[in-house]
């Protein structure tokens, strides 16, 4: 069984349409948007674990790097995981349900995780890599804290895809610095996801190269695409524009005896 066999059954066109429809609520109704995204992410991670380990993930310890305001905590706890969230921004952490429930939260940077080596079963980062200046340091930290045989799942927005500019829209195709300046002039303040400080250009090729070099990559696919469109990941240049959001599934090698 391949790493994506179980999730592939869920990756239908109807799912893609349903998720795309929720994106319009990201600003006006974040609870609605993030709750749907969190439930889908918990299902995806559960499917990836089931495919790679042939057993459900209930009871496993999951570390969510960039856990934000807590919508993911609710979804993963409902799915039976023991959830630990890491978030560097206290304002973000307290903008939602993060302080409720039984989940544990730690204020820290994903590029310097305050956890011991091999201390969690699954390490997840959902749409975080494009917001840090050293995304592959983040990926190495995720692998470090994951136990041998466990999974590190990194999903990020590809810069040249249609959503690469975040709230700057398609102006990012003019160049990141130019798009950021244009946004600031138009709105009177920098974008929340501001190019060069809280938003960085990350390519699909970089992620695939990191995965190949790590010796841990077991799958890479577009997060929101139906299964029949996953072939785009294999086509250089085309993937930079059409994959939109790339998932890297890394299984940490077992320690030598």
């Amino acid at each position: 069984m391949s790493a994506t066999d179980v999730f592939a059954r869920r990756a239908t066109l109807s799912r893609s349409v349903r998720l795309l429809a929720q994106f319009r609520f990201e600003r006006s109704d974040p609870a609605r948007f993030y709750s749907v995204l969190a439930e889908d992410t918990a299902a995806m991670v559960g499917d990836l674990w089931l495919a790679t380990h042939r057993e459900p993930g209930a009871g496993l310890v999951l570390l969510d790097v960039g856990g934000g305001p807590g919508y993911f905590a609710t979804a993963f706890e409902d799915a039976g995981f023991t959830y630990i969230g890491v978030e560097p921004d206290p304002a973000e952490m307290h903008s939602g349900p993060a302080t409720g429930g039984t989940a544990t939260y730690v204020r820290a940077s994903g590029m310097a995780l305050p956890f011991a080596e091999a201390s969690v079963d699954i390490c997840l980062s959902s749409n975080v890599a494009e917001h840090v200046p050293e995304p592959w340091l983040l990926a190495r930290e995720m692998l470090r804290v994951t136990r041998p045989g466990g999974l590190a799942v990194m999903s990020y927005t590809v810069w040249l895809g249609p959503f690469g500019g975040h709230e700057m829209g398609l102006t990012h195709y003019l160049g990141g610095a130019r798009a950021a300046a244009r946004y600031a002039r138009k709105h009177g303040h920098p974008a929340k996801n501001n190019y060069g400080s809280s938003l960085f250009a990350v390519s699909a090729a970089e992620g695939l190269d990191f995965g190949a070099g790590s010796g841990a990559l077991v799958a890479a696919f577009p997060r929101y695409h139906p299964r029949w469109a996953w072939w785009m990941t294999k086509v250089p240049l085309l993937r930079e524009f059409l994959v939109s959001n790339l998932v890297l599934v890394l299984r940490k090698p077992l320690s030598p005896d």
Side-chain angles (χ1 to χ4, degrees), residues 104-227:
T104 299
Y105 287 87
V106 177
R107 183 183 176 188
S109 167
M111 294 179 292
L113 292 170
F115 296 90
E117 184 174 345
S119 57
V120 301
D121 299 299
I122 303 171
C123 191
L124 167 72
S125 70
S126 174
N127 300 338
V128 174
E130 71 267 29
H131 298 296
V132 298
E134 297 183 77
W136 312 119
L137 174 58
L138 165 65
R140 289 193 293 273
E141 276 290 275
M142 291 173 64
L143 278 172
R144 180 185 67 80
V145 302
T146 302
R147 69 168 174 80
L151 295 181
V153 181
M154 171 183 271
S155 169
Y156 66 91
T157 303
V158 177
W159 173 249
L160 287 178
F163 303 111
H166 289 58
E167 67 265 44
M168 294 186 299
L170 298 179
T171 62
H172 71 298
Y173 289 121
L174 302 173
R178 183 177 294 179
R182 185 177 185 275
Y183 184 96
R185 286 196 304 270
K186 181 177 179 180
H187 297 276
H189 59 82
K192 175 184 177 182
N193 299 292
N194 190 43
Y195 182 81
S197 60
S198 55
L199 180 65
F200 301 88
V202 188
S203 70
E206 288 175 301
L208 294 169
D209 287 346
F210 172 84
S214 73
L217 184 68
V218 294
F221 57 91
R223 180 174 182 175
Y224 305 121
H225 289 31
R227 175 65 184 87

Side-chain angles (χ1 to χ4, degrees), residues 9-93:
R9 301 171 200 156
R10 191 189 305 274
T12 61
L13 179 60
S14 61
R15 166 187 170 267
S16 298
V17 172
R18 183 177 70 254
L19 290 174
L20 185 62
Q22 294 301 318
F23 274 92
R24 68 182 188 272
F25 298 109
E26 182 177 6
R27 295 177 180 278
S28 61
D29 191 353
R32 173 175 176 170
F33 167 72
Y34 284 108
S35 294
V36 171
L37 182 61
E39 289 173 8
D40 185 80
T41 305
M44 179 184 74
V45 171
D47 286 350
L48 293 172
W49 185 270
L50 180 60
T52 51
H53 294 78
R54 302 193 178 186
E55 61 183 17
L60 298 177
V61 177
L62 180 137
L63 179 64
D64 181 12
V65 182
Y71 299 108
F72 276 49
T74 301
F76 277 101
E77 287 190 322
D78 288 347
F81 293 90
T82 298
Y83 180 93
I84 303 172
V86 171
E87 174 57 51
D89 184 352
E92 184 75 11
M93 188 182 295

